[in-house]
């Protein structure tokens, strides 16, 4: 059934608001900045086209990758190491991130001084990218898996703390008041009134963090911090592109499978 | 026993929520506080368990001077005072039983809380509390799967699990429909009578107040304007509390019929 609208005049809408000066200015500034930066880095489509036509052993390797690398015994060990690094880095980093995120909230830490210190610490570790962590620890403790683990630990800590803090901003404050009213202490309140509220989101962040760590570990090896990246760097140094691409395909496959599993799990969590 | 002496509360920003209030509530009394929104009902109730500190005056609860309590002393006091909220304040994502066990926190060691390993004795107390509000079969249901009335009964069970000597209820039926409101009010009244628990309930419907209260306290702009039995609550008292005469909007029954 349709409601007859004939004969009913639509009321006049108030005049449409103009786009704000801020929006116009912001859009223009973004366009201008893109043009200026493209010029200053010497970007040109011509360069890409001419370079594509040249003979290039890297691209040739890509066309005939060495599939044998997938089952090669010498590649398996660094793969396992990559996995171990990702699991350990995620587990340790995200375990510590939960109290860290809780203690940087107003309700989880009534002391403004220590809260400020914790928030500052979170901001500092967040601004350091994974590769820089790896470089720092390679210089500090030497090459191998240890600097990779330390890098992933701090990187996970930063990522999970940030995501968890954002979730904590949006929780229901009612149960907190209820727990405080029963005479619970701070830890008991956080455990019973706050943690159950954020646990699904937090678990999802841990899984997501594991995905990032697995991918990051490919790069960590390039600076000598262990894992599959070491092996990639080894082939790269020798110019063995067929082997390198075989390994990269294998890595791609592993990351793809892990990501699919993780995405499915995360969808069930939230 | 609860005794306010010239108690005042001024919120940051200068809002005077309580002005020189002096009242006494004896052990086992069932008191209903009525007043408009912003009259100071919530502030009064939250002063009793120290959630809102007094700016001046004195407040004695169960022989303790609330304004002078240490942090540990405050937790000790709060463990003796159960609280029920308008929005239920349950943890939606966890079970009814876990919500009720919150009432045991003060008696359970912190490490046990962190691991979620509650002693058998405390689980028994929580189960008994759920039995008292006749919702024990929902113990392992998630709080988010309950109806409003069931949620408030879980709220009452959480307060009872504290084995309190005082229960504070802040607008416990404001989110509920009229029949459910009566169910919840009857539970509160029955518990107060059976267990001798001092009960203070905030309500904004006067008819609900007169139906259940032994004693009604009327607040207006943070000041005491009425203190007496429900039977003494006539049209004049109503005007004192609400600043105007009674209309259909002010009683739950007439409002429900609309």
């Amino acid at each position: 059934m349709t409601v007859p609208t004939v004969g009913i005049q639509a009321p006049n809408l108030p005049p449409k608001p103009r786009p704000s000066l801020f929006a116009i200015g912001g859009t223009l500034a973004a366009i201008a900045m893109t043009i200026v930066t493209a010029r200053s880095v010497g970007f040109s489509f011509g360069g890409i086209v001419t370079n594509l036509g040249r003979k290039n052993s890297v691209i040739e390797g890509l066309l005939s990758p060495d599939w044998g690398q997938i089952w090669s015994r010498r590649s398996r060990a660094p793969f396992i190491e990559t996995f171990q690094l990702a699991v350990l880095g995620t587990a340790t980093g995200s375990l510590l991130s939960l109290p860290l995120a809780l203690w940087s909230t107003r309700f989880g830490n009534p002391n403004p001084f220590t809260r400020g210190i914790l928030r500052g610490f979170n901001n500092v570790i967040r601004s350091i990218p994974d590769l820089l962590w790896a470089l720092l620890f390679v210089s500090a403790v030497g090459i191998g898996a240890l600097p990779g683990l330390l890098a992933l630990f701090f990187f996970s800590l930063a990522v999970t703390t940030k995501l968890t803090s954002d979730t904590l901003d949006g929780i229901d404050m009612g149960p907190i008041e209820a727990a405080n009213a029963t005479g619970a202490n701070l830890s008991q309140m956080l455990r019973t009134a706050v943690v159950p509220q954020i646990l699904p989101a937090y678990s999802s962040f841990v899984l997501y963090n594991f995905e990032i760590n697995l991918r990051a570990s490919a790069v960590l090896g390039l600076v000598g911090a262990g894992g599959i990246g070491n092996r990639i760097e080894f082939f790269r140094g020798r110019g063995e592109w067929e082997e390198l691409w075989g390994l990269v395909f294998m890595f791609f496959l592993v990351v793809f499978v892990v990501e699919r599993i993780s995405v499915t799990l995360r969808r069930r969590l939230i | 026993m609860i005794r306010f002496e010239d108690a005042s509360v001024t919120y940051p920003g200068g809002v005077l929520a309580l002005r020189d209030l002096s009242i006494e509530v004896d052990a086992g009394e069932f008191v209903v506080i009525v007043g408009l929104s912003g009259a100071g009902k919530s502030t009064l109730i939250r002063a009793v368990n120290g959630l809102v500190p007094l700016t001046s005056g004195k407040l004695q609860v169960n022989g303790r001077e609330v304004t002078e309590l240490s942090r540990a002393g405050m937790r000790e006091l709060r463990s003796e005072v159960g609280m029920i909220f308008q929005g239920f304040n349950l943890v939606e994502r966890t079970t009814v039983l876990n919500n009720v066990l919150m009432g045991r926190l003060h008696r359970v060691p912190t490490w046990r809380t962190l691991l979620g390993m509650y002693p058998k004795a405390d689980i028994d107390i929580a189960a008994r509390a759920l039995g008292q509000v006749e919702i024990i079969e929902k113990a392992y249901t998630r709080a988010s799967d309950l109806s409003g009335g069931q949620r408030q009964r879980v709220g009452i069970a959480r307060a009872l699990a504290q084995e309190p000597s005082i229960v504070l209820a802040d607008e416990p039926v404001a989110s509920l429909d009229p029949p459910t409101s009566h169910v919840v009010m009857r539970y509160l009244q029955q518990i107060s009578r059976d267990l001798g628990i001092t009960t203070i309930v905030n309500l904004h419907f006067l008819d609900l107040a007169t139906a259940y209260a032994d004693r009604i306290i009327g607040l207006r702009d943070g000041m005491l304007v009425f203190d007496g039995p429900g039977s003494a609550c006539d049209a004049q008292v109503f005007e004192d509390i609400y600043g105007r005469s009674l209309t259909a909007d002010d009683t739950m029954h007439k409002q429900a019929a609309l």
Side-chain angles (χ1 to χ4, degrees), chain A residues 92-256:
Chain A
T92 51
S94 46
L95 204 66
L96 192 65
S97 78
L98 191 59
L100 209 59
L102 288 170
W103 289 331
S104 4
T105 57
R106 195 174 284 271
F107 53 81
N109 184 352
N111 183 330
F113 180 70
T114 53
R115 192 167 65 225
I117 290 179
L118 278 176
R119 284 186 178 173
F121 174 75
N122 292 345
N123 286 333
V124 169
I125 58 168
R126 193 162 61 235
S127 59
I128 302 176
D130 46 358
L131 201 57
L132 193 56
W133 281 120
L135 275 171
L136 273 172
F137 286 117
V138 167
S139 345
V141 300
I143 59 169
L146 182 62
L149 180 61
L150 287 169
L152 288 183
F153 166 75
F154 277 98
F155 183 60
S156 310
L157 189 62
V159 171
T160 323
T161 307
K162 164 74 181 151
L163 292 170
T164 310
S165 298
D166 289 347
T167 312
L168 284 169
D169 286 339
I171 63 162
D172 179 8
M173 301 298 280
I176 295 177
E177 190 186 25
N180 285 334
T182 67
N185 62 35
L186 187 70
S187 312
Q188 291 179 318
M189 180 278 280
L190 291 174
R191 169 67 181 82
T192 56
V194 181
V195 170
Q197 290 194 55
I198 60 159
L199 203 56
Y202 170 75
S203 317
S204 158
F205 299 149
V206 174
L207 276 171
Y208 175 62
N209 194 233
F210 177 69
E211 289 173 40
I212 310 182
N213 279 354
L214 200 62
R215 260 171 278 160
S217 63
V219 191
L220 292 182
L222 301 185
V223 296
I228 192 67
N230 272 351
R231 190 93 176 130
I232 294 177
E233 176 64 12
F234 169 77
F235 287 133
R236 197 187 68 84
R238 291 163 57 125
E240 294 176 347
W241 304 110
E242 285 86 359
E243 286 81 357
L244 184 143
W245 284 116
L247 202 61
V248 168
F249 274 121
M250 173 68 192
F251 184 70
F252 168 78
L253 215 68
V254 170
V255 169
F256 182 79

Side-chain angles (χ1 to χ4, degrees), chain A residues 174 177 180-181 183 185 188 191, chain B residues 46 89 105-106 108 110 113-114:
Chain A
E177 190 186 25
N180 285 334
N185 62 35
Q188 291 179 318
R191 169 67 181 82
Chain B
R46 282 175 168 73
N89 289 5
L105 288 180
H106 188 73
V108 174
T110 303
T113 314
L114 294 180

